[in-house]
Amino acid sequence: MIDRYSRQTLFSGIGEEGQKRLGNSCVVIIGCGALGTIIATSLVRAGVGKVRIIDRDFIEYHNLQRQVLFDEDDVRDGLPKAIAAERHLKRVNSLVQVEGIVADVNYINIEGFIGDADLVLDGLDNLETRFLINDACLKHKIPWVYGGAISSSGMTMSIIPGQTPCLRCFSASPPSGILLTCDTAGVIGPAPFIIGSLESVEAMKILVGAEAEVNRDLISIDVWKGTFIHFKISHHPDCPACHGKYEFLEGRYGMKTTSLCGQNAVQILNPEANQLSLQELAARLQPVGQVTYNEFMLRFTVDNHEMVVFPDGRAILRNTTDESLARGLYAKYIGA
Ligand SMILES: [Zn+2]
């Protein structure tokens, strides 16, 4: 057991004591795309005791360019990212309790996912859920590491409740209007690789108790330009989250449909439709369109629209960003 981590315990920042602390820790990684796969592989290999990976999506060929845990078999098998990540990582390090959960993290379920965590890591592609993580982590006094990447650039910051400024201290809410997404700007692998690596090293420092070494700046990089900039962030005197007002966690900003970054797709959430039987749904949809399914998801094609449905009632409508069309088709074929 010690041998496996010998090169890591030789490093004075970790040592034998740090290794034990890593082994007794529980981390939650929310989002398992390019960032999440880098973070998950780093922390499972490093011997963090319990790693929970939550992702709402399934794997497609265009993910393989940068999502290092997945392969072509995963795409052919129609696996959700959280399940494929769990399977691959259990083969990497059987000493770690790896738990893959297929779910959309929202204001209703987030506290249940992170309650036992020592640390939460951001592997997301959307800002709204990051503000939700910020609220939930501040409320439960759990450190979290923010990270995001797009195009050739990325940002990261460590947030320790009660000590450092939080995400809302420097951005009051997700910006409105047109945002850059992986759809419009694209992304090259090295940008999320670097940000995911920085998030992983922050995780190690926080988990081994090297508080003084934790990065307290907002770090901004551009891998194409080769730039690496630290920004000092201050507590905002009116930050709602730092004053115990958790507006995202209260669901004030929750939405039922979301456009998915990098995918030209819309996700529909239906909290009423939990525990869908995909077998029953397949039988219902077979007469009206083309249906394939496994225990994790059902794929349904009708009138040039492709919809993927998950057992928790969630659906993803492909090849559109039209949220009202998505709601309409969901109501028509799944029922709302
Ligand atoms: Zn704040």
Side-chain angles (χ1 to χ4, degrees):
M1 227 190 257
I2 296 299
D3 267 352
R4 175 190 284 263
Y5 305 118
S6 63
R7 300 305 183 271
Q8 183 168 292
T9 49
L10 278 171
F11 172 70
S12 63
I14 306 279
E16 301 287 347
E17 188 50 42
Q19 190 62 49
K20 271 187 215 142
R21 287 189 182 214
L22 291 180
N24 290 328
S25 300
C26 169
V27 304
V28 176
I29 301 166
I30 302 182
C32 195
L35 287 173
T37 53
I38 287 283
I39 297 165
T41 195
S42 301
L43 298 184
V44 168
R45 285 171 196 276
V48 170
K50 198 168 170 187
V51 177
R52 185 175 302 135
I53 302 163
I54 310 167
D55 192 281
R56 62 188 179 188
D57 215 345
F58 56 95
I59 305 161
E60 294 175 280
Y61 280 105
H62 65 78
N63 299 147
L64 301 183
Q65 165 247 0
R66 66 193 181 283
Q67 301 185 9
V68 298
L69 268 180
F70 309 133
D71 58 35
E72 294 181 1
D73 285 343
D74 298 327
V75 182
R76 282 191 287 267
D77 294 345
L79 289 183
K81 293 179 179 180
I83 301 297
E86 179 189 304
R87 288 185 185 175
H88 287 292
L89 289 168
K90 279 182 166 166
R91 289 199 289 269
V92 169
N93 191 346
S94 58
L95 302 174
V96 174
Q97 251 183 282
V98 186
E99 184 188 7
I101 296 177
V102 186
D104 182 74
V105 172
N106 56 51
Y107 71 96
I108 297 164
N109 62 20
I110 188 168
E111 291 175 273
F113 289 135
I114 68 165
D116 59 343
D118 297 299
L119 177 69
V120 175
L121 290 137
D122 173 5
L124 287 161
D125 61 2
N126 73 90
L127 270 171
E128 201 179 295
T129 315
R130 289 191 178 108
F131 282 93
L132 186 60
I133 296 179
N134 191 66
D135 274 3
C137 284
L138 261 63
K139 181 179 170 187
H140 293 276
K141 302 196 173 15
I142 301 167
W144 77 282
V145 184
Y146 152 68
I150 194 159
S151 184
S152 63
S153 63
M155 286 198 272
T156 180
M157 185 170 119
S158 301
I159 292 155
I160 317 268
Q163 293 183 32
T164 67
C166 79
L167 188 65
R168 287 198 86 180
C169 283
F170 75 90
S171 177
S173 60
S176 55
I178 297 169
L179 288 178
L180 275 183
T181 68
C182 300
D183 280 313
T184 54
V187 58
I188 53 172
F193 296 170
I194 300 281
I195 293 294
S197 298
L198 291 172
E199 289 189 63
S200 304
V201 80
E202 287 303 301
M204 288 176 164
K205 289 190 271 186
I206 292 167
L207 295 176
V208 304
E211 296 235 321
E213 317 285 331
V214 172
N215 163 55
R216 277 146 207 265
D217 297 337
L218 176 71
I219 295 176
S220 172
I221 63 157
D222 187 313
V223 294
W224 198 260
K225 294 180 185 154
T227 53
F228 195 104
I229 305 167
H230 281 253
F231 293 98
K232 293 272 171 237
I233 303 293
S234 316
H235 278 282
H236 194 289
D238 302 322
C239 172
C242 283
H243 288 90
K245 248 179 101 184
Y246 308 117
E247 293 167 318
F248 287 85
L249 198 52
E250 287 158 10
R252 266 189 64 181
Y253 297 97
M255 280 199 306
K256 288 203 102 183
T257 51
T258 327
S259 215
L260 298 181
C261 183
Q263 295 198 41
N264 189 27
V266 177
Q267 173 175 262
I268 309 106
L269 284 184
N270 182 15
E272 317 304 323
N274 206 358
Q275 303 291 329
L276 276 185
S277 160
L278 297 184
Q279 198 180 355
E280 273 177 38
L281 186 60
R284 190 142 53 93
L285 295 175
Q286 231 112 39
V288 286
Q290 228 188 333
V291 184
T292 55
Y293 73 101
N294 59 25
E295 63 186 292
F296 308 112
M297 61 183 234
L298 176 149
R299 197 183 292 265
F300 170 57
T301 314
V302 64
D303 303 335
N304 300 320
H305 300 298
E306 191 196 342
M307 193 179 270
V308 177
V309 187
F310 298 86
D312 63 0
R314 203 160 48 84
I316 291 171
L317 185 68
R318 317 282 311 150
N319 304 317
T320 185
T321 50
D322 182 342
E323 297 189 17
S324 62
L325 172 72
R327 271 192 290 270
L329 286 171
Y330 188 101
K332 196 168 169 189
Y333 293 113
I334 318 296

